[in-house]
Amino acid sequence: MPRYLSIGNGQLLINFDAQYRLRDLYFPHVGQENHLIGHVSHCGIWVGNVDGSDGKFSWFEDAAWTRHMGYEPETLLTDVTLTNETLGLSIHVLDAVDFYEPLFLRRFDITNQHETERQARLFFHHDLHIYENEVGDTAYYESTRRAVLHYKKNRWFLINGRREGADKEGVDQWATGVKEVYGQEGTWRDAEDGALSGNPIAQGSVDSTIALHATIPPNASATIYYWLAVGTKFEDVRRINHNVRERHAQTYIDRTRSYWKLWLANRKPHFADLPAPITALYNSSLLIIRTQIDHSGAVIAANDYDITQFARDTYSYMWPRDGALVSSALTHAGYETLTQKFFEFCRNAITPEGYLLHKYNPDGSLASSWHPWYREGERQLPIQEDETGLVIWALWKHYACYRDIEWISPLFRPLIVRAADWMCSYRDTETGLPLPSWDLWEERRGVHAFTVGSVWAGLEAAANFCTAFGETALAQKYHGAASGIKEATDKYLFRSDVPSGDPRFVRMVNRARDESEPAEQPKGRSGMEQKGRRTTQEIRISKDNISWNVDWTLDAAMYGLWYFGMYEPRDPRIVSMMAHLKDRLWCKTEVGGMARYENDYYHQVSHDVENVPGNPWFICTMWLAQYTIAAAKTVEDLTPAVDILTWVASHALDSGVLAEQVNPYDHAPLSVSPLTWSHATVVMTVLEYLDKHAQLILDVE
């Protein structure tokens, strides 16, 4: 189920699903240690007479509730309205993670729609799996603070609350108990009669439920606050709880609202003629991106735990490519310090040889991978070379924007030169092309159009750095290597022997070793081999006495040939390529949008490949908009880009969250959400539009 709302501060991340259920709680890193691991923590309400009679109970996920879920404009505070006509209740909820402390806050404004005074009891369930397992947890009620605590080793969670106007803070009811063993579902079932057992402690596989009460006059409202403090020791959560009680939970909510409004306002562009839905999506995208970036600098791809259903793994990793593209967007948007941490992360992660590996955990350790070090009797590097090239490309953009020489200097040798030397060496000495690596989709190994564009850009960026630092010989070396790659791309990836007879660039080439060389079995971020699915058309063609396996498949990622600067957008070969991509990859349904490539298997919904080559991906669709912007000669030429951005905004969740892809028939979100890359592409596309719009207006004047 997609994550509809994400709130966080770089160390604590909270996710809600489409039914407004708490599903993920990450701490102390964004993407690392999900203490819910996707399990549902329920929230609901009992309402009845003040004497406790004639009570009715409902969880907020029940069908009787109407839910409207979004964010307060230009903040990371939720704006949720829940209505239940059967209960005669309307509830407005605001959720926030404090901008500084690891503190989750909730405010419930409960409106009694009846003509009689009634009592409401809010119930909060906590299905914690501390350190991502249920073994050896403890939950207990602590009477001094009238709070419930969970802990295991160095992870502590303190749960408390108050009714506005109450004499003192503290929970009104509580229960701790056993779950997931002996047929026990958990203490949330204990809440459904409106009363909790009061069991004070449980250990092992445990959960807890608390209740906070309020008496509500007829046709009036009452306010209840809830908070959850997180820390690495008891003193951490004790201090946070004490401060919230002393300063009031509303103070923390107000300061967090002010912080995020200021965070956006300081760098807000002039939006020219862009429609309001696009500007709103731009603002919300920046904020959502921020929730997915760890305080270590790791830019996490996505933190939707439900993806583990496919291969028992997640997207909660830092892919250097995703991080570089997200950082490029944030650089352009004006977020200097935030992106600096990402490049420092890469400096620490790069191998002594000079390449970045597949992906990393938020704490900097090497993450899981399905790319082998060994195949068919030979050693190979389990890498996607674009991940190394794009980090250097994005770093040059950062330096060109901010010119912070003191910050960039410590990265020059350990990151820039090391990576560029390796990219120079990792080339076919005969052709000049980069040696094979995995493509950006992580499905096939070879020499890819996207990769050659990325490596060329990385080498040119490194040469620019060397020129700036007075390293003339190195600059010439890197420029020379980049020139050799472009010449080889002209020679080997632009083909006049296309089966259709129309010369064009191809997705991938591989030097053939022998006639028995097998095709790669595609894999994706799920890490699952797709047996029997050959997504490539491999034809052996001899050129300059070299036998090539050529993949003719049209792939949206071929845009990398122009986007990173190797070719001009108006180069006739690029114009032709982009026309082919749009014609073949646009989904011919009412939903529309661009697929990744022909017959894309990942989460495939339809086998009608002629009309639905694959599911529409937000990033691929916006790549078409970016091309339209880059090639535009007049302001009127920009109109199709606005249409695409409007399409993106209209296919987001109601909360503004973008998934990875959508169903081509009903635009339901598919795969993970939010996908950081999707939101970063919104930011970059909008900024490129504004830059080009301003340039074209000046040209007219």
PDB file of all heavy atoms in Angstrom, residues 464-479:
ATOM      1  N   ASN A 464      37.103  20.119 -15.766  1.00  0.00           N
ATOM      2  CA  ASN A 464      36.806  21.489 -15.342  1.00  0.00           C
ATOM      3  C   ASN A 464      37.390  21.786 -13.972  1.00  0.00           C
ATOM      4  O   ASN A 464      37.949  22.868 -13.729  1.00  0.00           O
ATOM      5  CB  ASN A 464      35.297  21.722 -15.330  1.00  0.00           C
ATOM      6  CG  ASN A 464      34.690  21.716 -16.713  1.00  0.00           C
ATOM      7  OD1 ASN A 464      35.389  21.908 -17.713  1.00  0.00           O
ATOM      8  ND2 ASN A 464      33.390  21.500 -16.796  1.00  0.00           N
ATOM      9  N   PHE A 465      37.270  20.836 -13.061  1.00  0.00           N
ATOM     10  CA  PHE A 465      37.864  21.005 -11.738  1.00  0.00           C
ATOM     11  C   PHE A 465      39.379  21.168 -11.843  1.00  0.00           C
ATOM     12  O   PHE A 465      39.985  22.028 -11.185  1.00  0.00           O
ATOM     13  CB  PHE A 465      37.540  19.805 -10.846  1.00  0.00           C
ATOM     14  CG  PHE A 465      36.218  19.885 -10.136  1.00  0.00           C
ATOM     15  CD1 PHE A 465      35.214  18.961 -10.387  1.00  0.00           C
ATOM     16  CD2 PHE A 465      35.981  20.879  -9.198  1.00  0.00           C
ATOM     17  CE1 PHE A 465      33.998  19.026  -9.731  1.00  0.00           C
ATOM     18  CE2 PHE A 465      34.764  20.947  -8.527  1.00  0.00           C
ATOM     19  CZ  PHE A 465      33.766  20.021  -8.791  1.00  0.00           C
ATOM     20  N   CYS A 466      40.000  20.329 -12.656  1.00  0.00           N
ATOM     21  CA  CYS A 466      41.458  20.366 -12.781  1.00  0.00           C
ATOM     22  C   CYS A 466      41.926  21.686 -13.393  1.00  0.00           C
ATOM     23  O   CYS A 466      42.956  22.244 -12.979  1.00  0.00           O
ATOM     24  CB  CYS A 466      41.944  19.180 -13.607  1.00  0.00           C
ATOM     25  SG  CYS A 466      41.751  17.599 -12.751  1.00  0.00           S
ATOM     26  N   THR A 467      41.180  22.184 -14.351  1.00  0.00           N
ATOM     27  CA  THR A 467      41.506  23.495 -14.909  1.00  0.00           C
ATOM     28  C   THR A 467      41.418  24.561 -13.831  1.00  0.00           C
ATOM     29  O   THR A 467      42.304  25.425 -13.714  1.00  0.00           O
ATOM     30  CB  THR A 467      40.554  23.825 -16.069  1.00  0.00           C
ATOM     31  OG1 THR A 467      40.713  22.844 -17.099  1.00  0.00           O
ATOM     32  CG2 THR A 467      40.842  25.206 -16.638  1.00  0.00           C
ATOM     33  N   ALA A 468      40.371  24.506 -13.020  1.00  0.00           N
ATOM     34  CA  ALA A 468      40.203  25.484 -11.947  1.00  0.00           C
ATOM     35  C   ALA A 468      41.332  25.392 -10.929  1.00  0.00           C
ATOM     36  O   ALA A 468      41.769  26.412 -10.382  1.00  0.00           O
ATOM     37  CB  ALA A 468      38.854  25.274 -11.260  1.00  0.00           C
ATOM     38  N   PHE A 469      41.823  24.182 -10.671  1.00  0.00           N
ATOM     39  CA  PHE A 469      42.880  23.976  -9.683  1.00  0.00           C
ATOM     40  C   PHE A 469      44.280  24.078 -10.294  1.00  0.00           C
ATOM     41  O   PHE A 469      45.275  23.822  -9.618  1.00  0.00           O
ATOM     42  CB  PHE A 469      42.704  22.605  -9.007  1.00  0.00           C
ATOM     43  CG  PHE A 469      41.752  22.609  -7.847  1.00  0.00           C
ATOM     44  CD1 PHE A 469      40.388  22.573  -8.059  1.00  0.00           C
ATOM     45  CD2 PHE A 469      42.213  22.666  -6.542  1.00  0.00           C
ATOM     46  CE1 PHE A 469      39.499  22.581  -7.007  1.00  0.00           C
ATOM     47  CE2 PHE A 469      41.333  22.673  -5.475  1.00  0.00           C
ATOM     48  CZ  PHE A 469      39.973  22.633  -5.700  1.00  0.00           C
ATOM     49  N   GLY A 470      44.369  24.406 -11.565  1.00  0.00           N
ATOM     50  CA  GLY A 470      45.670  24.559 -12.202  1.00  0.00           C
ATOM     51  C   GLY A 470      46.354  23.261 -12.540  1.00  0.00           C
ATOM     52  O   GLY A 470      47.562  23.244 -12.827  1.00  0.00           O
ATOM     53  N   GLU A 471      45.618  22.155 -12.541  1.00  0.00           N
ATOM     54  CA  GLU A 471      46.181  20.837 -12.870  1.00  0.00           C
ATOM     55  C   GLU A 471      46.001  20.598 -14.373  1.00  0.00           C
ATOM     56  O   GLU A 471      45.155  19.803 -14.815  1.00  0.00           O
ATOM     57  CB  GLU A 471      45.474  19.753 -12.047  1.00  0.00           C
ATOM     58  CG  GLU A 471      45.692  19.870 -10.551  1.00  0.00           C
ATOM     59  CD  GLU A 471      47.000  19.245 -10.110  1.00  0.00           C
ATOM     60  OE1 GLU A 471      47.762  18.776 -10.984  1.00  0.00           O
ATOM     61  OE2 GLU A 471      47.259  19.216  -8.896  1.00  0.00           O
ATOM     62  N   THR A 472      46.799  21.273 -15.180  1.00  0.00           N
ATOM     63  CA  THR A 472      46.613  21.291 -16.629  1.00  0.00           C
ATOM     64  C   THR A 472      46.750  19.910 -17.259  1.00  0.00           C
ATOM     65  O   THR A 472      45.960  19.525 -18.137  1.00  0.00           O
ATOM     66  CB  THR A 472      47.618  22.254 -17.280  1.00  0.00           C
ATOM     67  OG1 THR A 472      47.511  23.529 -16.643  1.00  0.00           O
ATOM     68  CG2 THR A 472      47.354  22.392 -18.758  1.00  0.00           C
ATOM     69  N   ALA A 473      47.740  19.159 -16.819  1.00  0.00           N
ATOM     70  CA  ALA A 473      47.971  17.837 -17.414  1.00  0.00           C
ATOM     71  C   ALA A 473      46.790  16.907 -17.157  1.00  0.00           C
ATOM     72  O   ALA A 473      46.353  16.171 -18.054  1.00  0.00           O
ATOM     73  CB  ALA A 473      49.260  17.237 -16.861  1.00  0.00           C
ATOM     74  N   LEU A 474      46.271  16.946 -15.930  1.00  0.00           N
ATOM     75  CA  LEU A 474      45.113  16.114 -15.624  1.00  0.00           C
ATOM     76  C   LEU A 474      43.893  16.559 -16.424  1.00  0.00           C
ATOM     77  O   LEU A 474      43.119  15.729 -16.910  1.00  0.00           O
ATOM     78  CB  LEU A 474      44.798  16.172 -14.124  1.00  0.00           C
ATOM     79  CG  LEU A 474      45.690  15.349 -13.197  1.00  0.00           C
ATOM     80  CD1 LEU A 474      45.292  15.569 -11.741  1.00  0.00           C
ATOM     81  CD2 LEU A 474      45.600  13.855 -13.544  1.00  0.00           C
ATOM     82  N   ALA A 475      43.721  17.865 -16.560  1.00  0.00           N
ATOM     83  CA  ALA A 475      42.585  18.374 -17.331  1.00  0.00           C
ATOM     84  C   ALA A 475      42.647  17.858 -18.766  1.00  0.00           C
ATOM     85  O   ALA A 475      41.626  17.422 -19.330  1.00  0.00           O
ATOM     86  CB  ALA A 475      42.573  19.901 -17.307  1.00  0.00           C
ATOM     87  N   GLN A 476      43.833  17.887 -19.377  1.00  0.00           N
ATOM     88  CA  GLN A 476      43.985  17.395 -20.751  1.00  0.00           C
ATOM     89  C   GLN A 476      43.702  15.896 -20.824  1.00  0.00           C
ATOM     90  O   GLN A 476      43.076  15.417 -21.781  1.00  0.00           O
ATOM     91  CB  GLN A 476      45.385  17.698 -21.252  1.00  0.00           C
ATOM     92  CG  GLN A 476      45.647  19.188 -21.464  1.00  0.00           C
ATOM     93  CD  GLN A 476      47.093  19.472 -21.835  1.00  0.00           C
ATOM     94  OE1 GLN A 476      47.975  18.621 -21.686  1.00  0.00           O
ATOM     95  NE2 GLN A 476      47.352  20.697 -22.316  1.00  0.00           N
ATOM     96  N   LYS A 477      44.149  15.171 -19.807  1.00  0.00           N
ATOM     97  CA  LYS A 477      43.917  13.725 -19.780  1.00  0.00           C
ATOM     98  C   LYS A 477      42.421  13.417 -19.765  1.00  0.00           C
ATOM     99  O   LYS A 477      41.934  12.565 -20.522  1.00  0.00           O
ATOM    100  CB  LYS A 477      44.598  13.128 -18.541  1.00  0.00           C
ATOM    101  CG  LYS A 477      44.303  11.655 -18.291  1.00  0.00           C
ATOM    102  CD  LYS A 477      44.958  11.199 -16.987  1.00  0.00           C
ATOM    103  CE  LYS A 477      44.589   9.761 -16.653  1.00  0.00           C
ATOM    104  NZ  LYS A 477      45.186   9.327 -15.365  1.00  0.00           N
ATOM    105  N   TYR A 478      41.696  14.110 -18.900  1.00  0.00           N
ATOM    106  CA  TYR A 478      40.266  13.817 -18.763  1.00  0.00           C
ATOM    107  C   TYR A 478      39.478  14.310 -19.977  1.00  0.00           C
ATOM    108  O   TYR A 478      38.555  13.626 -20.437  1.00  0.00           O
ATOM    109  CB  TYR A 478      39.718  14.432 -17.471  1.00  0.00           C
ATOM    110  CG  TYR A 478      40.441  13.970 -16.222  1.00  0.00           C
ATOM    111  CD1 TYR A 478      40.528  14.788 -15.094  1.00  0.00           C
ATOM    112  CD2 TYR A 478      41.040  12.715 -16.158  1.00  0.00           C
ATOM    113  CE1 TYR A 478      41.185  14.383 -13.950  1.00  0.00           C
ATOM    114  CE2 TYR A 478      41.705  12.283 -15.020  1.00  0.00           C
ATOM    115  CZ  TYR A 478      41.785  13.128 -13.916  1.00  0.00           C
ATOM    116  OH  TYR A 478      42.446  12.721 -12.781  1.00  0.00           O
ATOM    117  N   HIS A 479      39.828  15.480 -20.496  1.00  0.00           N
ATOM    118  CA  HIS A 479      39.186  15.951 -21.725  1.00  0.00           C
ATOM    119  C   HIS A 479      39.425  14.965 -22.869  1.00  0.00           C
ATOM    120  O   HIS A 479      38.526  14.668 -23.664  1.00  0.00           O
ATOM    121  CB  HIS A 479      39.729  17.329 -22.130  1.00  0.00           C
ATOM    122  CG  HIS A 479      39.055  18.480 -21.467  1.00  0.00           C
ATOM    123  ND1 HIS A 479      37.690  18.644 -21.447  1.00  0.00           N
ATOM    124  CD2 HIS A 479      39.581  19.566 -20.814  1.00  0.00           C
ATOM    125  CE1 HIS A 479      37.383  19.757 -20.798  1.00  0.00           C
ATOM    126  NE2 HIS A 479      38.502  20.336 -20.408  1.00  0.00           N
TER     127      HIS A 479
END
